[in-house]
Amino acid sequence: MDKHVLCFGEVLWDTFDDGKKPGGAPMNVAMHLAQQQVNVAFASRVGDDEAGDELVEFLKRNNLFSDLIQRDPQLPTCEVTVELDEQQHATYIIPQPVSWDNIQLDNALVQSAVHASAIVFGSLACRDETTRDTLLNLLNETQALKIFDVNLRAPHYTLSTIETLTARADVVKMNEDEAKLLIGGSKADLRDMMNEFRSKYHPKTIVVTRGEHGAIVWHDHEFYDSPGCPASGGDTVGAGDSFLATFIAGLLAGENLQSVVDKACSVGAFVASKRGANPPYDEHIRKLLRLK
């Protein structure tokens, strides 16, 4: 695929009871795009500390390091505490401020955005004015497809910021709980809520994931529904990110959208059956995605 995707936002250490793993939604999306052989660049900022050095080495090993990874001389690399409940659903304790709260606009970042086919961004990294302004300036500079990954982590968002990012997006992806929170109103049916959301913000595409119950997508005046796949044995960390990466890859390739949604659900279920956000794909997933 000759499309170029820029993923912008946080990179961090997810700290579990049994150790730590590199994480951050935009980094996870970039990792999965790379696994799916999509040309991807990743932009973030880490601290000038040992944890930052370790993240840089990880990104280098996975071909995601470039001059888009900034180093902060004062703010630390982010280390998040991940707590898993009995169903292995994750909640996160996120410190503030950290290095990715201070992503700076520079020429390398602008040039990457200008030449991108799509730019992926989330809400978490926009909790601080500096990084938020950098992103909004980037979106002004590019004709790329703008993909907003709603990633609500209380208390690290405001409704006004979410509305600003949504209004700038061509594609909005959220989970069912986020959809209910953002859309509100008296609509009980998910399709009715999505229609209400569309009439307010006018995105080209709306994606709502529903965990093990699949996903529903509105695109080009049609709904695409996938029932999903059950998953067990792992955790939910990164499942939505892998879904989004698969959806982006299929969308940019011009594939049949129903097939894209079905494949994205399958990849999300595979990740949910594993520990951590970025397991290597097995032969079944590689065959499903027609990877060489």
Side-chain angles (χ1 to χ4, degrees):
M1 183 187 295
D2 59 359
K3 304 288 187 179
H4 169 71
V5 179
L6 172 62
C7 294
F8 173 96
E10 66 272 12
V11 63
L12 49 87
W13 286 106
D14 278 326
T15 305
F16 300 85
D17 288 341
D18 57 355
K20 64 181 185 180
K21 293 180 180 293
M27 194 278 290
N28 293 336
V29 173
M31 285 279 291
H32 284 280
L33 285 168
Q35 277 211 77
Q36 296 183 32
Q37 301 169 1
V38 176
N39 183 10
V40 61
F42 175 54
S44 190
R45 190 174 179 97
V46 299
D48 188 14
D49 49 28
E50 183 177 353
D53 292 342
E54 292 173 345
L55 278 179
V56 165
E57 288 304 312
F58 172 83
L59 294 172
K60 286 179 176 178
R61 290 196 303 273
N62 289 278
N63 299 313
L64 289 179
F65 180 79
S66 70
D67 55 0
L68 303 181
I69 305 299
Q70 303 172 3
R71 301 299 294 261
D72 196 293
Q74 294 181 315
L75 292 174
T77 299
C78 183
E79 300 191 50
V80 170
T81 301
V82 183
E83 298 179 344
L84 301 174
D85 64 17
E86 292 181 357
Q87 288 74 43
Q88 297 300 295
H89 294 152
T91 56
Y92 306 87
I93 301 173
I94 307 170
Q96 186 179 11
V98 293
S99 49
W100 47 257
D101 287 313
N102 192 37
I103 299 175
Q104 301 290 311
L105 189 69
D106 59 22
N107 186 63
L109 194 49
V110 170
Q111 289 304 308
S112 183
V114 165
H115 293 102
S117 302
I119 179 169
V120 184
F121 55 93
S123 49
L124 180 57
C126 292
R127 66 183 182 176
D128 184 274
E129 182 179 9
T130 301
T131 297
R132 182 168 66 248
D133 286 349
T134 294
L135 174 63
L136 293 175
N137 284 322
L138 273 187
L139 296 181
N140 287 336
E141 297 286 344
T142 182
Q143 298 299 310
L145 187 72
K146 300 170 179 67
I147 302 170
F148 177 29
D149 180 16
V150 179
N151 192 19
L152 301 185
R153 298 282 183 257
H156 302 284
Y157 67 90
T158 64
L159 186 57
S160 62
T161 295
I162 301 303
E163 290 179 334
T164 296
L165 297 174
T166 300
R168 303 293 293 276
D170 300 306
V171 179
V172 180
K173 177 258 181 187
M174 50 194 155
N175 64 36
E176 193 167 12
D177 289 338
E178 290 164 341
K180 291 176 181 176
L181 181 63
L182 294 181
I183 299 169
S186 60
K187 305 293 185 184
D189 181 77
L190 189 53
R191 292 191 181 205
D192 289 342
M193 286 196 292
M194 292 169 73
N195 278 325
E196 188 172 318
F197 187 84
R198 177 174 57 88
S199 66
K200 182 175 181 180
Y201 293 106
H202 310 290
K204 296 178 181 177
T205 307
I206 305 170
V207 181
V208 179
T209 58
R210 300 179 292 182
E212 64 182 13
H213 302 295
I216 184 167
V217 173
W218 179 89
H219 176 77
D220 198 21
H221 304 287
E222 289 191 38
F223 281 100
Y224 300 85
D225 200 335
S226 182
C229 313
S232 61
D235 57 55
T236 61
V237 179
D241 304 326
S242 67
F243 175 100
L244 180 58
T246 309
F247 184 83
I248 291 168
L251 187 67
L252 292 180
E255 297 176 8
N256 173 273
L257 206 66
Q258 184 62 59
S259 173
V260 171
V261 178
D262 291 338
K263 285 195 295 185
C265 286
S266 294
V267 175
F270 166 76
V271 171
S273 72
K274 306 296 181 182
R275 185 77 163 171
N278 295 293
Y281 294 163
D282 62 15
E283 189 59 34
H284 170 72
I285 293 298
R286 294 184 63 82
K287 185 176 180 180
L288 178 73
L289 298 173
R290 300 176 183 173
L291 299 176
K292 297 179 181 178

